[in-house]
Amino acid sequence: MLLPYLHPGLTEAGCDEAGRGCLAGSVYAAAVILPPDFRNELLNDSKQLTERQRYALREVIEREALAWAVGVVTPEEIDRINILKASFLAMHRAVDQLVVRPQHLLIDGNRFTPYPGIPHTTVVKGDGKYLSIAAASILAKTYRDDYMNRLAEEYPHYDWRSNKGYPTRKHRAAIAQYGPTPYHRKTFNLLGDGQLTLAFPEE
């Protein structure tokens, strides 16, 4: 049973990201403030749910949350500042957009760049412990999946509709055969061989 909040009485936003380990595409993050009395038996870490369950829960979260938002950091920004900082920046951008200002942030993971003026607590595997982080994980995951599905229409060879940009064997085989796309992260080990000697488009 997931917990509703860490600090009862505070307006608390849960934050989580999706796409940190991908070879291609932006990293997404979400911030969600749920009502104090929010309950949902199905709500859990997005990785424990089916695709159908995630999208059904997204509708519930967006309808019932006090506030929610999604932040995005592009592959170009990821290459410039590194993926860890990019994940935190995506969370910051999500918090920036909340129509209700939280008094505390619950962050999935063990590290975070402090958000100005709002204290935070990091929670390892928090998406399986707190409702608001689980809700954020679902929004981040589904909105990123939508984005990767759109990119898959533009670049069908990389199997992004299935792998969502993660380093599967089929994804890496496509990179080896067709080369990287403008959406691939230049600083990542795209072929899995410890070397990054690929020619990127428009260079």
Side-chain angles (χ1 to χ4, degrees):
M1 185 69 177
L2 274 62
L3 299 172
Y5 33 68
L6 178 63
H7 297 293
L10 292 184
T11 302
E12 199 164 61
C15 301
D16 200 4
E17 55 77 29
R20 183 182 293 183
C22 294
L23 302 179
S26 301
V27 64
Y28 275 57
V32 179
I33 302 173
L34 295 173
D37 59 350
F38 181 86
R39 297 290 184 276
N40 188 295
E41 294 300 320
L42 185 60
L43 183 55
N44 200 344
D45 169 12
S46 66
K47 295 183 289 295
Q48 305 300 319
L49 302 170
T50 66
E51 181 178 21
R52 183 185 295 271
Q53 288 172 329
R54 285 194 293 268
Y55 279 93
L57 280 166
R58 184 169 92 176
E59 293 184 10
V60 173
I61 293 162
E62 293 179 353
R63 183 175 64 246
E64 298 189 19
L66 298 178
W68 65 272
V70 175
V72 182
V73 175
T74 66
E76 294 79 11
E77 292 175 301
I78 292 169
D79 287 330
R80 190 165 64 246
I81 65 176
N82 81 44
I83 186 59
L84 185 63
K85 291 179 181 177
S87 298
F88 300 156
L89 177 58
M91 292 185 192
H92 280 224
R93 287 178 176 172
V95 174
D96 287 344
Q97 299 174 68
L98 290 173
V99 297
V100 176
R101 182 174 173 84
Q103 297 169 297
H104 186 262
L105 303 177
L106 274 180
I107 308 297
D108 183 60
N110 61 1
R111 286 188 285 178
F112 184 61
T113 301
Y115 187 93
I118 305 177
H120 71 270
T121 300
T122 57
V123 185
V124 175
K125 297 183 178 177
D127 47 6
K129 297 175 182 176
Y130 288 96
L131 289 170
S132 62
I133 301 180
S137 77
I138 287 167
L139 295 192
K141 168 67 174 166
T142 55
Y143 275 95
R144 189 177 189 281
D145 283 358
D146 291 345
Y147 157 77
M148 291 305 298
N149 289 341
R150 292 193 298 272
L151 296 191
E153 296 177 5
E154 187 177 352
Y155 290 94
H157 299 305
Y158 300 87
D159 197 33
W160 286 341
R161 186 167 288 278
S162 297
N163 63 48
K164 301 300 188 280
Y166 282 92
T168 62
R169 183 175 298 178
K170 188 172 181 179
H171 187 181
R172 282 191 156 130
I175 296 170
Q177 181 175 355
Y178 301 104
T181 70
Y183 298 108
H184 279 99
R185 301 172 184 177
K186 298 179 182 181
T187 52
F188 278 52
N189 181 13
L190 297 180
L191 294 179
D193 58 3
Q195 300 180 34
L196 191 63
T197 56
L198 298 168
F200 275 78
E202 302 175 5
E203 284 197 339

